[in-house]
Amino acid sequence: MKALVYHGPGNKAWEDVPDATIQEPTDVVVRVDTTTICGTDLHILHGDVPAVTDGRILGHEAVGTITEIGDAVRGFAVGDRVLVPAITKCGRCDYCQRGMPSHCQTVGGIGWIFGHLVDGTQAELVRVPYADTSLYRVPGTVTDEQAIFLADSLPTGYEVGVLAGNVRPGHTVAVVGTGAVGLAAVLTTGLWGAFRVIAVDTNKFRLQKALEFGATDAVEAGPGAVDEVRALTDGLGVDVAIEAVGYPQTLRTAAALVRPGGTIANIGVHGVPVELPMQEMWIQNVTLTMGLVDTVSIPTLLRMVASGRIPAEKMGTHAFTFGQMDEAYDVFANAAANEALKVVITPS
């Protein structure tokens, strides 16, 4: 089979590799019909994730068709159309039982294993461990292009942003950073009745997309952004500030936007320490949350997509074939210049 293989920082290749096969009775093999690229894949290629070693197949999101099942698999059959999420879970360990499969002990202490600890989904075939507890059957009314964004981006924005931020009816919400995950947060704030959703970004294209995704206001990031957001909230600040970038400045911006008693929900992946004005924040009863997605919201989000409540397909802006994998990475890595959110990659 063909797959995108990591060969060290800055080096990847779409090349021939042995076919994915059943290794454990709980495995299935899935033919990948649709995949995509995540910002984490770019971090790997920059050498930021040392656990990913030479020879690893990249990718952790897929929609596909089961071609082979292990002897212990009971919930799925050959021919089933399934969503392969970013998080794999055994369903039995302490963290899975607590609803935190992102820290599944059975698969290595972290649920994100595809393209990380085991071979991933940017391939013609992928082996899926613990299939019964990890896969989701895709309803016939949901297209591959809709389902693929439920593997990571939409659950991340919803769980780590909206749910962790405790968004409630009548709340004002600011989303700092409107890339794919920030837009996923914008798209799902309405499920909890947010009154006003303010998108903050430096990129005019992304701000326009945020308005299309349901934001009520768009504020261009800069020296006057905090004052502009506060003016939209009668000078009080927002109930929930969702940070979806991962830079020290954007987290500090989110902290400056939140009102007393509010919540800062950090989604962004931070690679360096961040200094926050704790001497000011402690007395304001501010809550700060953060975390890795668990993808436990996928069944809910699937129902919302199937009903038309969440137009997940809006996340995809560019389409490529497997043979155009290098081009897909180039476009995604230069998302601002290419007005790209997420890419959709299919065999042909």
Side-chain angles (χ1 to χ4, degrees):
M1 70 176 192
K2 291 277 193 180
L4 190 71
V5 182
Y6 175 73
H7 291 300
N11 191 359
K12 65 185 187 314
W14 181 251
E15 61 188 48
D16 290 309
V17 297
D19 284 354
T21 59
I22 299 292
Q23 296 181 19
E24 299 291 342
T26 53
D27 292 350
V28 303
V29 174
V30 173
R31 182 191 73 225
V32 177
D33 299 322
T34 307
T35 188
T36 186
I37 303 169
C38 177
T40 306
D41 298 317
L42 301 182
H43 280 293
I44 291 169
L45 285 169
H46 290 151
D48 297 338
V49 188
V52 181
T53 55
D54 188 355
R56 176 68 66 227
I57 296 172
L58 296 175
H60 53 265
E61 304 159 84
V63 178
T65 305
I66 294 176
T67 61
E68 188 178 357
I69 64 171
D71 292 340
V73 175
R74 296 291 179 265
F76 295 94
V78 171
D80 283 350
R81 183 165 158 259
V82 293
L83 171 67
V84 182
I87 300 297
T88 302
K89 57 180 181 288
C90 73
R92 295 185 178 88
C93 74
D94 185 60
Y95 282 99
C96 283
Q97 291 293 309
R98 279 198 253 167
M100 291 180 62
S102 57
H103 295 281
C104 177
Q105 297 301 290
T106 307
V107 300
I110 185 167
W112 166 45
I113 61 172
F114 289 119
H116 180 205
L117 306 181
V118 303
D119 285 336
T121 59
Q122 290 169 7
E124 293 177 323
L125 299 168
V126 60
R127 177 182 74 91
V128 180
Y130 296 99
D132 275 334
T133 46
S134 298
L135 291 176
Y136 297 89
R137 191 173 280 102
V138 179
T141 55
V142 175
T143 67
D144 285 5
E145 186 172 337
Q146 291 174 315
I148 188 60
F149 304 122
L150 294 174
D152 190 349
S153 297
L154 268 167
T156 298
Y158 182 55
E159 293 177 19
V160 191
V162 175
L163 293 184
N166 201 31
V167 174
R168 288 296 180 266
H171 272 179
T172 55
V173 180
V175 179
V176 181
T178 53
V181 172
L183 287 172
V186 170
L187 200 59
T188 54
T189 49
L191 298 179
W192 287 93
F195 161 69
R196 173 165 248 155
V197 181
I198 305 165
V200 181
D201 204 298
T202 58
N203 186 286
K204 288 183 172 62
F205 166 74
R206 289 179 171 179
L207 288 175
Q208 179 57 45
K209 283 295 180 182
L211 293 172
E212 293 175 16
F213 277 46
T216 56
D217 304 272
V219 172
E220 190 166 350
V226 171
D227 289 339
E228 190 173 344
V229 172
R230 287 190 170 273
L232 292 169
T233 60
D234 297 323
L236 297 174
V238 299
D239 297 287
V240 182
I242 297 173
E243 195 280 344
V245 183
Y247 294 157
Q249 184 55 49
T250 51
L251 184 55
R252 286 192 287 267
T253 296
L257 296 177
V258 73
R259 68 178 65 186
T263 301
I264 305 162
N266 179 79
I267 303 176
V269 178
H270 291 269
V272 297
V274 182
E275 183 176 322
L276 293 173
M278 298 299 291
Q279 75 281 3
E280 300 170 7
M281 293 171 61
W282 76 270
I283 204 168
Q284 295 180 8
N285 298 82
V286 171
T287 299
L288 173 62
T289 67
M290 64 197 78
L292 177 63
V293 67
D294 289 298
T295 66
V296 293
S297 65
I298 286 177
T300 297
L301 294 173
L302 268 174
R303 287 193 292 272
M304 293 296 99
V305 171
S307 71
R309 182 74 182 275
I310 296 178
E313 67 279 0
K314 285 187 175 183
M315 302 285 290
T317 55
H318 293 69
F320 299 93
T321 65
F322 282 173
Q324 298 172 310
M325 193 69 77
D326 282 342
E327 184 180 349
Y329 263 85
D330 287 344
V331 167
F332 187 71
N334 298 283
N338 292 297
E339 296 191 341
L341 298 178
K342 291 285 281 186
V343 298
V344 178
I345 307 172
T346 57
S348 60

